[in-house]
Amino acid sequence: MSATLDPSTRLLTEAAHAKINLYLHVTGKRADGYHLLDSLVVFAGAGDRLRYEPGPEPLHLELAGRFGATLGADAAGPDNLVMKAAAALRAASAPTAHIQGGRLVLEKELPVASGIGGGSADAAAALRLLSRAWQANVPEETLLQIAEKLGADVPVCMASQAARMEGIGEHLSAAPMLPECGMVLVNCGQAVSTPDVFRKRDGAFRERAVLPAGWADAQSMVADLVKLDNSLEAPACVVCPPVRTVLTSLAAQPECLLARMSGSGATCFALFPSSLAAQNAAGALAAAQPDWWVWGGGLV
C-alpha cells in the first residue's frame, strides 16, 4: 500500500481501495447523536487512484476518471476530503519536512455517496501519499488522529486491510483470518444520503457479533455472516428501492454465496467461491444492466 515513485516524472501515486462492510450492526447511540457500530470491513481490488505531481504552484486538486464529473465543479475545492487531509498533514508535519505545492489528481473510479468509503479512502490515500512525498515525519498515532477527525471510515482506510471496526469507526481490531473468495460490487447509479437512511431505521439496536478466529473457506465464512446483517439495508431499500433489485440480481447469479448491501448504500456486494466466479458474474450483470456500475474480482 505504499506510494510508488517514478524517478523520470517525479510522479507519486496511491491506490484508494473500496471499503466493504461484510456486516454492519448499529449497536447503540451516543449522547452526542453519533451511532455506535460493529462491522467487519474488507477492501476490494476496485478503487480510486490519487497521484501527486510536485510543483511551484499552490497545492490544488483536479478530478478525473469515470465519476470525476459527478462530484461537480466545486468538489475539488478546500472542502474536499483530500484537500482537508493535505491541510491537516501540513499543519502536523515536522519542521524538517519538505512540503511542496503542485497538483493532486484524483482518478475517481468509484461511485459517489455509495457506501463503499470512496471519499474516506481518498483522504487516507492523500495522508499516505503526501506523508511520503513531503517526508512529513508524522507519527502513526498522529496520522490516525487526523484520520479520525476527517471521518468515521478514514482510520480503517489508512491501512486498507481487513479489520473489525467499532465505536464510531475509531476502535479498530484484527479481523478473523479470511479465506480466498471473490466479490462482485454493483451500484444502481443513485446516490443515497446516509442521514436519510438512519432516519428510516426502526430504532432497534443489534448486539455485537461473536466472530471466530478465522474461516477455512468462503462457505464457512458465509455460514456465519448469514447470522448477521447490515442494520441499514432495510431502511436503504425504502430510501432507494433499486437497492432491492440489485440484491435480487446478485443473489440470482450462479455460485453466489451471499448478497448484501455495504455501508449505508447504495452499493451492494456478493461473495463467490473464487475471483473467476465473481468476474463471470460481473460480466453477466454488466451486459444485462449497462446503466449499473459493476466490478468483479478479489479482495486486497
Side-chain angles (χ1 to χ4, degrees):
M1 294 304 301
S2 61
T4 55
L5 178 64
D6 181 340
S8 65
T9 62
R10 303 177 68 222
L11 179 66
L12 285 155
T13 65
E14 188 74 24
H17 291 285
K19 170 203 66 73
I20 312 300
N21 303 92
L22 293 185
Y23 75 88
L24 192 160
H25 287 181
V26 179
T27 58
K29 190 175 183 179
R30 300 196 317 192
D32 60 7
Y34 283 95
H35 287 85
L36 300 173
L37 309 174
D38 173 31
S39 182
L40 178 56
V41 172
V42 298
F43 289 85
D48 298 332
R49 182 163 291 275
L50 185 67
R51 67 178 189 265
Y52 173 51
E53 299 174 9
E57 70 274 20
L59 187 70
H60 63 283
L61 177 66
E62 298 176 12
L63 301 173
R66 177 174 175 179
F67 294 101
T70 306
L71 291 170
D74 298 328
D79 289 334
N80 186 285
L81 277 180
V82 167
M83 295 303 289
K84 286 185 174 181
L89 180 66
R90 182 186 295 111
S93 293
T96 55
H98 299 287
I99 295 175
Q100 295 177 273
R103 182 169 77 133
L104 285 165
V105 180
L106 176 59
E107 298 174 13
K108 192 69 185 168
E109 300 297 336
L110 298 177
V112 178
S114 60
I116 51 178
S120 297
D122 297 340
L127 290 175
R128 296 193 304 268
L129 174 57
L130 294 177
S131 290
R132 181 171 181 131
W134 290 346
Q135 301 175 41
N137 294 316
V138 175
E140 183 177 352
E141 181 180 352
T142 303
L143 283 176
L144 287 174
Q145 290 171 351
I146 293 172
E148 184 180 337
K149 292 177 181 178
L150 290 170
D153 284 340
V154 182
V156 76
C157 290
M158 284 297 295
S160 293
Q161 296 176 349
R164 187 170 192 167
M165 182 176 71
E166 298 181 77
I168 61 170
E170 81 280 24
H171 297 313
L172 303 176
S173 58
M177 290 294 294
L178 300 176
E180 291 293 326
C181 65
M183 176 176 284
V184 172
L185 301 177
V186 176
N187 185 276
C188 63
Q190 294 188 24
V192 174
S193 165
T194 298
D196 286 350
V197 171
F198 272 97
R199 280 191 287 268
K200 292 293 184 180
R201 279 187 67 249
D202 61 11
F205 296 123
R206 287 294 310 268
E207 70 284 354
R208 183 181 187 270
V210 177
L211 301 178
W215 293 285
D217 51 46
Q219 289 82 356
S220 59
M221 179 175 70
V222 168
D224 283 338
L225 289 176
V226 295
K227 303 171 188 175
L228 311 173
D229 61 22
N230 182 341
S231 299
L232 303 181
E233 184 175 294
C237 288
V238 175
V239 173
C240 182
V243 169
R244 180 60 60 197
T245 303
V246 170
L247 288 169
T248 301
S249 298
L250 282 168
Q253 295 304 306
E255 299 189 75
C256 175
L257 301 174
L258 174 72
R260 181 169 285 169
M261 190 185 79
S262 178
S264 58
T267 302
C268 300
F269 70 90
L271 295 176
F272 291 81
S274 67
S275 294
L276 179 58
Q279 291 166 4
N280 290 338
L285 284 165
Q289 299 285 351
D291 293 332
W292 288 355
W293 174 81
V294 181
W295 175 89
L299 304 180
V300 296

